[in-house]
Amino acid sequence: MIGMNFSQKLVFAYTCIVVVPLFILVITAMGFIRRSRVEELEANSEGLLQENYEIVLKNIESFDLFEKLINSNGKLTLFFTMPERSDENEIIETMISETTMLERTLETVPNIYALRVFSDSPLVPERWPIFMNSSRTDLSSLQRWEYGYTADYLSNLGSLKSESVCSTRRLEKNHREIGYIQIAMKTSDFFPFLFKKINEYNDDYVFREILNEETNQMELIPITNEIIEKNSQPLNQNLYDDFYKNVYRRKQGELSYYGKMTLRYKDETRYSSWVRVPDMNIILLHTCSSKEIQKSLLYIQLGILGGLLLTVFLLYFLVRYLTGRLMARVYKLIGGMKEVQKGRLDARVEVTGTDEVTEAQKTFNQMTEQLKTQIEEIKKEQQLIADTEMKAMQNQINAHFLYNALETIKMQAVIAGESDVEESINVLGKLMHYCLRWRVHTVTLEEEVDYIRSYVYLLNIRNDYVISLETEIKDEWKKIVIPKMSLQPLVENAFYYAIEPFGKDAVIRVYTEDGHEDDRIWLCVRDFGKGISKEKQEELAAYLADDNYERDSKGSIGLKNIQQRLTMFCGKNYRLVVKSKEGEGCLIKIPVPRKFIEAEEISGGAR
């Protein structure tokens, strides 16, 4: 899968997820079909063999019936036993009547090719072709069952000399042998299945079991003739060897009478069944060649494989189409990410759908918007810090000169014994020292309040009226860390806008409130001057709500600067609150997080 993009891998994976089980299912189905066809062939082989076996048993039964018919004929057997007791007329009458009876009986069983009764007594006259003398042929040399037998002694009766299955049996009377019974049936009638080939894939065989006295092993001799040889191919030697081993694969003393097997040789496979006919010492074999099902299986397999390939082809393009539809939105999202990577923070992606990709699109747009906003805020904060530090450096340069001059004046006041002047100079020096620490951006609330006290002290020296500073700060909140110069500008504004225009004694309150609902502390500066009009308050609120960076126009620290530094240190949610009514004064509240109480060590370390 090297070199494939994600969607191609996804298409490949989804296709495999469907194709692999489908392929396994097809292979299983093909195996099932093959097994079914094989089982069908095996069952067909067993069925045909059973039919053949029943034909042979029926023919044997016909032979046995004729034997019983003759053995149960007391008149005939008595005549064969003592022919000398009958006179000539009786002999002739007996021979005629018995011949007529047997001929009529033969007519009822047309498959019986010939019936011959041989007498051992020379006194019994012959009446061809039924009754003959035993001396005609060597009957004692014949087996009970002869195959391919021809009655050569019937020289002038050629129609009765066809190859046949012949059974030669002893005729007895009171355990005395008096002659022979010979029953014959044409081979084509006895084994009709050998001459009626079903199709080119089915073959029937009949083997005779003979004990080889030299090797003491059984041999299977095929029963055949010219007709059979022309209509049936002999069993291949290798297949015959497998068949022989199967028939005689038995435990000692155990004899199998039937069985089934699969004979294989090279590309030939035959599903076979066999059965033994013990009375005749023969074995019937029926084989079905696998070629009968190979063609049909081949067509079925080609059809299934063709259908599978077509299904895979269609499935691949269907999955590819659907995946392309689904992945298009993902690729658009990736394109937006690349745009951001190039620095285009205004990149946006179209939000479509209602799934997980939709959430990712929304999140991306929100992320780029937040990133753009944060970068702008960082720029503002950096600019604010740079301006503040530059301003502080400028003030420091001027203040150092002034501070050194104040120290000189202080020494002169000490020498002259002016203690009030000395105290005023000390307070002013303290204020300047507080301002000169420009590298420190945060202080504790306690330090900021001390600075305000010094600032108010100097204001009272300068004016002919008294400004009272009231502070109400809880001890546990004195160590809150706040941005430096957060409260002093508010006190300065209260002086210039609420106290100085009236020129009389006034009060400025600096206190704290606990914001229970939002876990914050409010730093409050309140005056009792003329207050701010409603229109001015709205203008001031809009001015403070604008987060765009703005320098203080007069080089001083105003409300906008306090709000900007408050946002930088505490976050956007911390906003100045201005409350005022005309004639009742003005209240300005600064929120700081309660958690900044624990930051004393950081602040102290910075200083």
Side-chain angles (χ1 to χ4, degrees):
M1 298 176 70
I2 298 176
M4 298 173 65
N5 59 34
F6 178 75
S7 63
Q8 290 173 332
K9 292 179 181 179
L10 195 62
V11 171
F12 180 79
Y14 283 156
T15 305
C16 288
I17 289 173
V18 177
V19 169
V20 171
L22 185 61
F23 181 76
I24 295 174
L25 180 62
V26 167
I27 295 299
T28 304
M30 290 172 61
F32 176 77
I33 292 173
R34 180 176 182 81
R35 285 196 300 271
S36 299
R37 295 303 304 275
V38 169
E39 291 174 358
E40 182 181 343
L41 274 184
E42 291 177 342
N44 182 60
S45 176
E46 289 186 71
L48 292 175
L49 178 68
Q50 182 63 29
E51 291 179 7
N52 298 340
Y53 181 63
E54 290 176 357
I55 291 173
V56 172
L57 291 181
K58 184 177 180 181
N59 291 334
I60 294 174
E61 183 180 2
S62 297
F63 278 45
D64 292 340
L65 288 175
F66 273 96
E67 181 185 9
K68 291 179 180 179
L69 177 64
I70 296 174
N71 280 320
S72 62
N73 191 335
K75 179 180 179 181
L76 180 61
T77 54
L78 180 60
F79 174 69
F80 272 33
T81 303
M82 295 178 293
E84 66 276 3
R85 291 186 179 182
S86 301
D87 56 24
E88 184 176 351
N89 291 331
E90 288 177 342
I91 291 174
I92 293 173
E93 182 183 353
T94 300
M95 295 304 296
I96 293 174
S97 62
E98 293 298 329
T99 300
T100 302
M101 184 272 295
L102 292 177
E103 287 177 345
R104 290 177 179 175
T105 304
L106 285 173
E107 290 177 359
T108 62
V109 188
N111 284 346
I112 298 298
Y113 172 62
L115 174 62
R116 293 179 282 271
V117 181
F118 295 88
S119 175
D120 291 342
S121 174
L123 299 178
V124 176
E126 294 182 333
R127 187 171 179 84
W128 285 31
I130 301 298
F131 293 103
M132 285 174 275
N133 195 275
S134 299
S135 59
R136 281 283 176 185
T137 183
D138 186 8
L139 297 174
S140 61
S141 63
L142 299 178
Q143 300 291 330
R144 177 178 176 84
W145 293 94
E146 293 288 341
Y147 305 97
Y149 179 78
T150 56
D152 294 332
Y153 53 87
L154 300 176
S155 58
N156 60 340
L157 296 176
S159 61
L160 298 178
K161 294 169 63 176
S162 300
E163 285 190 353
S164 61
V165 176
C166 180
S167 178
T168 303
R169 310 178 185 191
R170 263 296 186 179
L171 181 61
E172 297 181 352
K173 179 68 172 179
N174 297 327
H175 304 291
R176 175 184 173 186
E177 296 178 351
I178 57 176
Y180 291 90
I181 302 172
Q182 195 174 67
I183 308 167
M185 184 180 293
K186 288 182 180 180
T187 306
S188 59
D189 291 332
F190 200 94
F191 301 116
F193 45 86
L194 294 178
F195 297 85
K196 296 178 181 179
K197 194 171 182 63
I198 301 173
N199 54 45
E200 60 180 317
Y201 305 111
N202 288 268
D203 290 302
D204 290 292
Y205 302 90
V206 179
F207 295 92
R208 183 180 181 186
E209 290 186 295
I210 298 177
L211 178 63
N212 189 324
E213 295 181 357
E214 294 182 359
T215 61
N216 196 31
Q217 289 185 347
M218 298 298 295
E219 293 183 356
L220 295 178
I221 308 299
I223 297 175
T224 182
N225 59 15
E226 294 182 359
I227 299 176
I228 298 175
E229 290 177 354
K230 290 179 181 179
N231 289 276
S232 177
Q233 294 294 330
L235 194 63
N236 178 279
Q237 183 62 41
N238 296 87
L239 299 179
Y240 170 80
D241 292 340
D242 288 344
F243 167 63
Y244 183 89
K245 292 177 182 177
N246 186 276
V247 171
Y248 294 103
R249 187 185 294 124
R250 61 183 185 274
K251 298 178 181 178
Q252 186 175 5
E254 182 180 343
L255 183 63
S256 298
Y257 287 93
Y258 60 90
K260 60 181 181 179
M261 74 209 82
T262 302
L263 304 178
R264 292 184 177 88
Y265 176 68
K266 293 184 179 179
D267 60 342
E268 184 177 10
T269 301
R270 289 174 176 259
Y271 302 100
S272 309
S273 301
W274 62 272
V275 64
R276 175 180 277 107
V277 185
D279 187 54
M280 298 183 69
N281 291 329
I282 62 172
I283 293 178
L284 307 182
L285 171 66
H286 182 86
T287 66
C288 293
S289 175
S290 61
K291 294 179 181 179
E292 183 176 359
I293 61 172
Q294 285 178 350
K295 287 185 179 180
S296 60
L297 285 177
L298 178 61
Y299 293 141
I300 293 174
Q301 290 173 354
L302 290 176
I304 293 176
L305 290 177
L308 177 62
L309 291 176
L310 179 61
T311 301
V312 172
F313 181 79
L314 295 177
L315 179 65
Y316 172 79
F317 283 99
L318 178 61
V319 173
R320 183 177 178 181
Y321 170 75
L322 295 177
T323 303
R325 288 284 302 274
L326 293 174
M327 292 299 296
R329 295 186 297 152
V330 177
Y331 286 139
K332 288 182 180 179
L333 188 60
I334 294 174
M337 294 179 181
K338 291 181 178 179
E339 292 294 319
V340 173
Q341 186 180 20
K342 294 177 182 178
R344 300 172 185 171
L345 299 181
D346 57 346
R348 297 291 183 275
V349 295
E350 182 184 359
V351 178
T352 57
T354 57
D355 53 14
E356 291 81 357
V357 178
T358 306
E359 294 298 323
Q361 292 171 336
K362 293 179 180 178
T363 302
F364 173 80
N365 290 339
Q366 294 172 358
M367 179 189 68
T368 54
E369 185 66 31
Q370 292 175 358
L371 183 61
K372 183 178 178 181
T373 302
Q374 289 176 357
I375 291 176
E376 291 176 353
E377 290 179 354
I378 291 173
K379 288 181 179 179
K380 293 177 184 178
E381 292 172 1
Q382 294 296 328
Q383 190 173 8
L384 174 64
I385 292 173
D387 289 347
T388 302
E389 291 183 349
M390 181 60 69
K391 188 184 297 182
M393 289 177 66
Q394 293 172 351
N395 292 337
Q396 185 184 27
I397 293 172
N398 298 326
H400 268 297
F401 175 79
L402 181 60
Y403 183 75
N404 292 331
L406 286 174
E407 286 294 323
T408 302
I409 296 173
K410 175 183 175 181
M411 293 303 299
Q412 292 175 345
V414 171
I415 294 172
E418 297 290 340
S419 59
D420 291 340
V421 175
E422 178 186 357
E423 179 63 21
S424 298
I425 293 175
N426 277 333
V427 172
L428 180 58
K430 183 178 179 181
L431 292 178
M432 294 185 66
H433 183 265
Y434 183 82
C435 295
L436 288 176
R437 291 184 300 165
W438 59 272
R439 290 187 178 275
V440 180
H441 300 292
T442 59
V443 296
T444 63
L445 177 59
E446 184 178 23
E447 290 174 328
E448 184 78 2
V449 172
D450 287 343
Y451 174 72
I452 293 172
R453 288 194 182 98
S454 300
Y455 176 74
V456 172
Y457 176 84
L458 290 178
L459 290 177
N460 286 329
I461 294 176
R462 176 181 130 181
N463 299 312
D464 56 356
Y465 52 86
V466 177
I467 301 173
S468 300
L469 177 66
E470 296 180 357
T471 60
E472 187 178 344
I473 310 295
K474 292 184 179 180
D475 291 339
E476 64 268 23
W477 292 352
K478 290 181 180 181
K479 300 302 180 181
I480 294 176
V481 178
I482 62 174
K484 186 178 180 181
M485 302 295 286
S486 296
L487 299 179
Q488 188 274 339
L490 303 182
V491 173
E492 184 177 349
N493 286 343
F495 170 73
Y496 281 110
Y497 295 110
I499 298 176
E500 189 176 35
F502 295 97
K504 60 180 181 180
D505 294 350
V507 176
I508 298 177
R509 290 191 63 206
V510 177
Y511 60 96
T512 57
E513 289 182 356
D514 190 353
H516 298 286
E517 70 285 354
D518 52 5
D519 196 25
R520 61 178 62 185
I521 298 171
W522 294 88
L523 310 180
C524 305
V525 177
R526 178 174 178 77
D527 65 68
F528 300 91
K530 65 179 181 179
I532 305 174
S533 66
K534 185 175 181 181
E535 292 76 12
K536 187 65 176 178
Q537 287 187 57
E538 292 176 353
E539 181 182 344
L540 183 60
Y543 174 68
L544 292 176
D546 184 5
D547 289 332
N548 291 326
Y549 175 74
E550 180 180 318
R551 290 174 178 268
D552 291 311
S553 59
K554 298 180 181 179
S556 61
I557 300 175
L559 292 179
K560 189 64 173 287
N561 182 274
I562 295 174
Q563 179 61 65
Q564 289 173 340
R565 289 187 295 124
L566 183 64
T567 301
M568 181 177 68
F569 282 99
C570 302
K572 282 187 174 183
N573 294 329
Y574 290 82
R575 317 293 299 185
L576 292 179
V577 176
V578 179
K579 296 182 178 180
S580 177
K581 288 185 179 181
E582 292 188 74
E584 296 183 7
C586 179
L587 170 64
I588 301 178
K589 302 173 69 174
I590 300 176
V592 293
R594 189 187 300 270
K595 63 181 181 180
F596 280 9
I597 295 177
E598 305 296 333
E600 178 185 359
E601 294 183 0
I602 298 177
S603 175
R607 291 189 298 275

